Amino acid sequence: MAIYLVGRVLGGLVTLFCVSALAFFATALAPGNPAAVLLGNLATPERIAAVTHEMGLDQPLPVRYAIWLRHTVTGNLGTSNLSFKPVNDLILAALPPTLELAILSLLLVVVVAIPMGLVLAQGRDRWWARPLSGLVTLGISVPGFWVGLLLIVLFSVTFKLLPSGGYIAPARSLSGNARAMVLPVLTLAIYLIPALVRFVRVTAATVLREDYVDTARAKGVGNAGILLRHVAPNTLITTITYIGLQLGVLISGAIVVEIIFSIPGLGRLGMNAVLNRDYPVIQGVVLVAAAGYVIVNLAIDLAYSMIDPRIRTR
Amino acid sequence: MSAMPAQDQTAKAMPAARRRRGGAMLGYLVRRSPVAVALVALFLFAAAFGPWLAPHSMTDTNLSQALLPPNATNWLGTDQLGRDVLSRLLGSAGVAAKAFLIVVLIGGIFGTLLGLVAGGLGGFFDLLISRVTEILQGFPTVLVAIVVVALLNPSLTNAMIAVGLAAVPDFARVARGVAIQLRDREFVEAARGLGAGEMRILLREVLPNMIGPLIIIASFDGAQAIMWEAALSFLGLGVQPPAPSFGSMLREAQNLLAIQPSLAITIGITVSAIVLGLNLLGDALSDYYDQGNR
């Protein structure tokens, strides 16, 4: 068990290290001198050279990477080239909206998609199975962010019920926060639900063919009992792993949704940084998002190995 | 890469069917899923001949003709700069087809090679390649795109390199699965007995047997590529205005939601129809190869 644990943690750290190197070198090798960008068109060459030296940009690349890595490991992500604020502060300020959006959406997805997938698997011969499956295929084919635009047209423009964007911290106004989050959460959830429904349906259909389901049926257990007591638990473990693997899709989706609804989260911070070539911020955002991805998958792996001992020995 | 359930695809894609004549396949697809064939054919036609079919210029602006509703000269109306929406949609179809090609080529070539080596040689190679593709598999595509675009520049090709990287694991998984199934079969043993090297065996004996499953993945991942082109260009990481693409058009339409919502609706329905066609085609292809195996 201990070996398994150490192995998984080391694997996660290696992933993070690779991502950090990638994030650093991609931005360090990018064309354009950040010092020149910073000073604008009117700067003299001497001034640019001085600032380049000040920012440490004239040092050899490996030296810069070593310095950057040392700062990053000690939790200092540097200073924004654009606003001169510490990247740590910018990310800490951007994290709550992103986390709220991601967690609320994920909850909605799980609550809707898992029962829907289970019911679709069991009722695959009923009259409503085909239209519902068709709806799922349609859902997979519709761009998620476009659904967001449609929701804005419907709820903000036509009925004027909900704001079309912006973010209000729950500490300032709980109802304002709720109103602002309805459309973003709905958009992200609608983007993620069809894929999970499909996955649960396929997994549950496999479980339904197991012998113990026949045994339970022979013993007189009803449809609902079979679904809840036999199929759901055995579908759930695989589903949790799948959700962990889909975390990247969730992060991507959250970034797009933040842009549509102008939510000042991690995604918008990162996008603005890319468009303004604000390299320290790009590195910080990529690193924090990657860390979130690695940590959650590690947690799922570990939880999984506690539930099912067979996995540790694999 | 995709929001598609991986198991679903692989389970269907796995059986290695011998290739049959293309005519039989097309006939089956038309009977099984006429909607898919019609949508994909329409898309390919628009992508190939868009510049000749377009009734007006895709980029010429004319402010006196701005935001017209659908009419006899502009069948789908005009945008905020007076450009013909239908012409721009036809141009976007060409961009979407390019996105499809880039992603399927990157994912298909690198993914298939990695999968072949992992499944065919096994051992250390398998372990290494499986770990790397596993990491690549789940990593947020938008973050990869942000890094690629930060290094290079916002453009269709660069955005699609990021999406192509995310497609590599899908192809690798299928190629690896088929390679493992086949590496100890009689005809492979026979080739080995005749003195063929491992790499030659993989390319000459194993690769032809996975064309079917790979086509299925190409169909699904191509659909995803078109969605990603729209999303990344919408974010400003892909096609740049004034060039038309589904994403760049939607980006401009977002500012007009309150004035002319029909613009965003028209563009979105077009993208969805293309992606739906490709997804349905993928399903039908899965059934075709499944059925051939029974």
Side-chain angles (χ1 to χ4, degrees):
Chain A
M1 179 70 190
I3 296 175
Y4 174 78
L5 265 175
V6 172
R8 296 305 304 188
V9 173
L10 276 181
L13 283 177
V14 169
T15 309
L16 261 186
F17 180 78
C18 294
V19 171
S20 80
L22 207 68
F24 176 82
F25 285 106
T27 46
L29 292 173
N33 179 354
V37 176
L38 193 67
L39 293 168
N41 290 336
L42 299 173
T44 60
E46 293 78 27
R47 182 87 187 101
I48 291 177
V51 174
T52 305
H53 180 70
E54 222 172 275
M55 292 168 75
L57 293 171
D58 53 349
Q59 307 235 30
L61 215 51
V63 177
R64 281 167 58 192
Y65 180 59
I67 296 172
W68 179 78
L69 200 61
R70 201 179 66 221
H71 284 164
T72 305
V73 168
T74 54
N76 173 9
L77 292 172
T79 315
S80 161
N81 285 345
L82 202 69
S83 64
F84 301 106
K85 286 183 189 151
V87 177
N88 291 26
D89 295 358
L90 291 172
I91 286 179
L92 278 181
L95 218 43
T98 301
L99 287 179
E100 188 187 352
L101 174 65
I103 291 170
L104 288 178
S105 308
L106 197 58
L107 280 176
L108 185 61
V109 169
V110 166
V111 168
V112 174
I114 292 181
M116 208 169 142
L118 287 173
V119 169
L120 260 177
Q122 191 168 49
R124 61 184 179 281
D125 299 325
R126 301 286 191 80
W127 63 268
W128 40 259
R130 269 188 75 90
L132 214 55
S133 301
L135 198 66
V136 171
T137 305
L138 186 68
I140 287 175
S141 309
V142 169
F145 66 97
W146 180 61
V147 173
L149 299 183
L150 288 185
L151 290 176
I152 292 178
V153 169
L154 198 62
F155 290 101
S156 307
V157 177
T158 311
F159 296 120
K160 301 196 172 25
L161 284 173
L162 293 162
S164 67
Y167 180 76
I168 299 168
R172 256 183 60 209
S173 158
L174 209 54
S175 65
N177 176 266
R179 278 170 54 82
M181 291 309 275
V182 172
L183 292 185
V185 168
L186 217 54
T187 305
L188 191 50
I190 293 176
Y191 170 54
L192 298 169
I193 284 172
L196 188 60
V197 171
R198 255 179 106 131
F199 180 85
V200 173
R201 187 187 61 196
V202 172
T203 314
T206 322
V207 176
L208 273 167
R209 281 194 291 272
E210 297 278 349
D211 290 340
Y212 56 76
V213 173
D214 287 336
T215 312
R217 218 183 287 275
K219 277 161 61 184
V221 182
N223 274 342
I226 285 179
L227 208 55
L228 290 177
R229 293 241 301 280
H230 297 280
V231 178
N234 286 300
T235 307
L236 224 54
I237 300 180
T238 338
T239 304
I240 291 173
T241 316
Y242 175 73
I243 293 174
L245 289 173
Q246 290 293 302
L247 207 70
V249 181
L250 176 74
I251 295 174
S252 289
I255 293 176
V256 180
V257 167
E258 282 176 15
I259 306 290
I260 302 172
F261 292 98
S262 4
I263 297 171
L266 216 53
R268 217 172 65 141
L269 187 66
M271 282 305 305
N272 284 340
V274 173
L275 300 180
N276 291 307
R277 302 209 161 267
D278 189 352
Y279 296 126
V281 176
I282 301 176
Q283 290 161 349
V285 168
V286 170
L287 211 56
V288 168
Y293 173 72
V294 168
I295 289 168
V296 174
N297 270 303
L298 200 60
I300 288 176
D301 268 358
L302 296 183
Y304 203 44
S305 72
M306 280 169 206
I307 300 169
D308 189 348
R310 279 172 304 182
I311 291 154
R312 290 197 290 270
T313 51
R314 201 173 53 187
Chain B
M1 128 195 218
S2 54
M4 284 282 189
Q7 278 197 340
D8 186 5
Q9 287 176 21
T10 322
K12 283 182 181 170
M14 210 52 94
R18 269 286 173 190
R19 274 178 299 170
R20 278 176 286 170
R21 275 173 311 154
M25 182 163 103
L26 196 63
Y28 175 85
L29 292 178
V30 172
R31 264 176 286 124
R32 165 73 173 68
S33 197
V35 179
V37 175
L39 286 173
V40 174
L42 197 64
F43 162 57
L44 291 179
F45 184 70
F49 301 108
W52 292 280
L53 293 172
H56 302 276
S57 159
M58 294 174 189
T59 45
D60 283 356
T61 58
N62 182 356
L63 288 177
S64 65
Q65 302 282 309
L67 290 176
L68 292 180
N71 58 55
T73 28
N74 307 100
W75 291 356
L76 292 177
T78 59
D79 67 5
Q80 79 286 1
L81 297 175
R83 295 171 297 194
D84 181 50
V85 172
L86 177 61
S87 304
R88 285 177 68 74
L89 281 179
L90 285 169
S92 303
V95 173
K98 262 185 221 149
F100 184 118
L101 267 183
I102 297 172
V103 168
V104 169
L105 280 180
I106 294 178
I109 291 173
F110 290 104
T112 307
L113 278 179
L114 286 175
L116 266 177
V117 171
L121 302 183
F124 170 72
F125 290 104
D126 191 15
L127 206 68
L128 183 73
I129 292 174
S130 295
R131 276 305 294 167
V132 171
T133 49
E134 217 174 275
I135 293 168
L136 207 59
Q137 171 104 59
F139 204 74
T141 307
V142 174
L143 284 189
V144 182
I146 284 180
V147 173
V148 172
V149 168
L151 174 60
L152 307 164
N153 267 313
S155 78
L156 176 70
T157 313
N158 295 342
M160 288 307 115
I161 288 175
V163 181
L165 283 177
V168 167
D170 292 341
F171 286 93
R173 196 181 49 243
V174 170
R176 175 177 176 272
V178 178
I180 286 178
Q181 272 185 0
L182 295 186
R183 73 179 164 207
D184 297 319
R185 290 269 287 275
E186 294 82 356
F187 67 94
V188 175
E189 285 296 337
R192 207 169 277 141
L194 288 171
E198 282 303 315
M199 218 49 220
R200 188 190 152 87
I201 289 176
L202 288 180
L203 292 178
R204 293 288 293 276
E205 306 296 332
V206 179
L207 184 64
N209 280 290
M210 52 178 74
I211 299 295
L214 290 177
I215 290 177
I216 298 169
I217 295 295
S219 179
F220 285 124
D221 276 7
Q224 291 290 317
I226 291 169
M227 288 247 253
W228 275 115
E229 183 281 312
L232 293 175
S233 298
F234 177 78
L235 292 177
L237 296 175
V239 175
Q240 298 295 309
S245 95
F246 293 129
S248 66
M249 286 180 80
L250 276 169
R251 183 183 168 86
E252 292 175 314
Q254 189 193 5
N255 300 323
L256 304 165
L257 283 183
I259 314 164
Q260 188 95 320
S262 61
L263 206 54
I265 293 173
T266 313
I267 304 163
I269 289 176
T270 312
V271 187
S272 306
I274 295 172
V275 176
L276 180 68
L278 285 167
N279 278 335
L280 289 175
L281 190 70
D283 285 338
L285 280 167
S286 307
D287 290 348
Y288 174 73
Y289 283 104
D290 244 12
Q291 165 222 41
N293 226 37
R294 284 199 187 115

